[in-house]
Amino acid sequence: MLYSLAPMEGITGYTFRRVHAECFGALDRYYTPFLPPPRVGSPFGGKNLKEIDPVNNQGLNVVPQLLTKNADEFVWAARELAELGYGEVNLNLGCPSGTVVSKGKGSGFLRDPDALEAFLRDVCERSALPVSVKTRLGLEDDSEYGRILELYCTLPLAELIVHPRVQKDRYQGKPRWEPYGKTLERAPFPVAYNGDIFGTGDMDALAEAHPRTRHVMLGRGLLANPALARMLAGGLAASADELRQFHDKLFHAYVDEIGGNAVFRMKEWWFYAKCAFADPMAVHRTVRKVRKINEYEVAVEKVFNTQSLAAVARFSG
Ligand SMILES: Cc1cc2nc3c(=O)[nH]c(=O)nc-3n(C[C@H](O)[C@H](O)[C@H](O)COP(=O)(O)O)c2cc1C
């Protein structure tokens, strides 16, 4: 089984990927949070360049993800990424955010299958890199997926990653496994599964229901339990020492990168990481109000000194 880390804007950037791999071993693949392509003729710049700079991604198998509906910009960005040494580019057709959807991007692109078809045919033909897609099933109802899957199946995709929810589900409700199964049956290219794999029981159930599953992308589950991929491969849960070391490395790396804003970045992580503790609400209360680095350090000391780990770390919303 292949395990990859989901793209998560604001969380699974290059620093997180590097520190996580150092502490828990590298996953098979990592996807960058979505990047807007630069204007045609311009290189990637600023924080987007840092995200894909090979120096920041050494030793990891990273697939950059683009969020766009502009074929020329996609093709241009793919060329830039090929020059940086990447081997695949991923298109985001899943983002459910209102501002993205209203511009017809992310899952909003699924509303217009004709435009999506023209875009995908064009970029698959002209892209310097193989194109993979991360998709939802539609916007309102999973019946929309029939036409979308038909379309995907006519294209030379490198891979199709299915997050089997519709846009209006956001990240709630049970993922719809049946359309994922249909994708496994029909697709002439590799398929990956993503959604609510939070523990070994979830993985066992998925493998039993869909034994042809070959690649699972982990998101919130791995943030709540950084040893999740290791456990899915038969390894041990994270010890308290491992969790502490991971936290400290991550925090110091963020301080080096963004100074005092590291506190806010870490609070995003704690939203998930609190689930590694027996009393997530107590952890939440301890870290939620801190603003400054010294306050943060005191709060974290308190968490690690007073809170015990959960029997099984598991994302719980
Ligand atoms: C805070 C947050 C940011 C996300 N950012 C992205 C993104 O940049 N690109 C993307 O394709 N999906 C993004 N996602 C969706 C995740 O990649 C993944 O599909 C989702 O969390 C479901 O998988 P999980 O149940 O394993 O967490 C994001 C999700 C969250 C909660």
Side-chain angles (χ1 to χ4, degrees):
M1 189 68 66
L2 289 175
Y3 292 109
S4 63
L5 181 64
M8 293 179 77
E9 228 278 295
I11 305 178
T12 62
Y14 64 92
T15 300
F16 182 91
R17 299 194 292 270
R18 174 176 58 77
V19 174
H20 182 269
E22 273 171 28
C23 294
F24 291 97
L27 273 71
D28 297 300
R29 208 176 290 166
Y30 295 82
Y31 293 79
T32 70
F34 67 74
L35 303 166
R39 278 204 320 271
V40 174
S42 302
F44 281 94
K47 68 178 171 51
N48 295 331
L49 176 60
K50 281 192 184 160
E51 191 55 47
I52 51 168
D53 188 335
V55 171
N56 292 332
N57 291 289
Q58 274 172 27
L60 302 182
N61 181 6
V62 175
V63 178
Q65 184 189 68
L66 299 175
L67 179 75
T68 184
K69 60 175 183 179
N70 180 316
D72 289 337
E73 287 184 356
F74 185 101
V75 169
W76 168 256
R79 208 180 90 177
E80 291 288 291
L81 293 167
E83 277 179 15
L84 290 169
Y86 288 97
E88 177 182 328
V89 59
N90 182 264
L91 175 69
N92 179 323
L93 291 178
C95 182
S97 134
T99 47
V100 169
V101 170
S102 66
K103 292 181 191 138
K105 297 189 224 173
S107 62
F109 214 164
L110 303 175
R111 180 173 283 142
D112 188 349
D114 291 335
L116 180 62
E117 175 165 4
F119 173 93
L120 284 172
R121 286 208 189 291
D122 190 10
V123 301
C124 284
E125 194 170 312
R126 290 197 288 141
S127 170
L129 292 175
V131 177
S132 61
V133 165
K134 178 166 180 275
T135 193
R136 286 191 183 237
L137 304 176
L139 283 111
E140 301 280 328
D141 189 290
D142 57 25
S143 63
E144 295 164 43
Y145 189 57
R147 165 129 193 242
I148 295 166
L149 177 59
E150 288 291 314
L151 160 61
Y152 291 149
C153 288
T154 64
L155 293 160
L157 298 182
E159 186 168 40
L160 179 64
I161 303 157
V162 184
H163 177 57
R165 289 190 166 103
V166 294
Q167 183 267 341
K168 76 164 194 216
D169 295 334
R170 301 278 171 154
Y171 297 108
Q172 309 292 320
K174 210 173 143 32
R176 302 150 199 249
W177 282 8
E178 202 235 297
Y180 164 66
K182 201 157 79 183
T183 313
L184 279 175
E185 276 167 30
R186 297 277 325 278
F189 37 69
V191 172
Y193 175 82
N194 165 245
D196 290 26
I197 299 299
F198 300 150
T200 51
D202 301 325
M203 189 59 219
D204 291 346
L206 180 71
E208 193 182 332
H210 297 290
R212 288 170 62 193
T213 298
R214 50 168 281 286
H215 171 187
V216 172
M217 173 185 272
L218 305 169
R220 295 165 297 174
L222 185 130
L223 296 178
N225 172 8
L228 179 60
R230 183 171 84 191
M231 292 173 72
L232 295 179
L236 293 174
S239 67
D241 280 353
E242 274 185 310
L243 193 61
R244 177 77 210 235
Q245 271 183 30
F246 176 51
H247 167 277
D248 290 356
K249 278 193 176 186
L250 190 61
F251 177 53
H252 292 130
Y254 282 148
V255 170
D256 289 346
E257 187 190 330
I258 52 176
N261 284 334
V263 171
F264 301 99
R265 192 70 70 82
M266 289 306 291
K267 282 165 73 174
E268 302 259 346
W269 177 75
W270 278 108
F271 173 77
Y272 301 94
K274 67 179 188 289
C275 304
F277 292 84
D279 187 351
M281 281 318 290
V283 174
H284 172 71
R285 281 194 299 273
T286 309
V287 296
R288 83 181 152 168
K289 285 207 177 125
V290 299
R291 295 268 179 278
K292 300 207 169 98
I293 286 195
N294 58 340
E295 294 165 0
Y296 178 79
E297 286 172 333
V298 171
V300 165
E301 210 51 46
K302 185 170 169 202
V303 168
F304 280 104
N305 288 336
T306 61
Q307 299 295 321
S308 49
L309 290 191
V312 182
R314 183 180 169 83
F315 177 72
S316 58

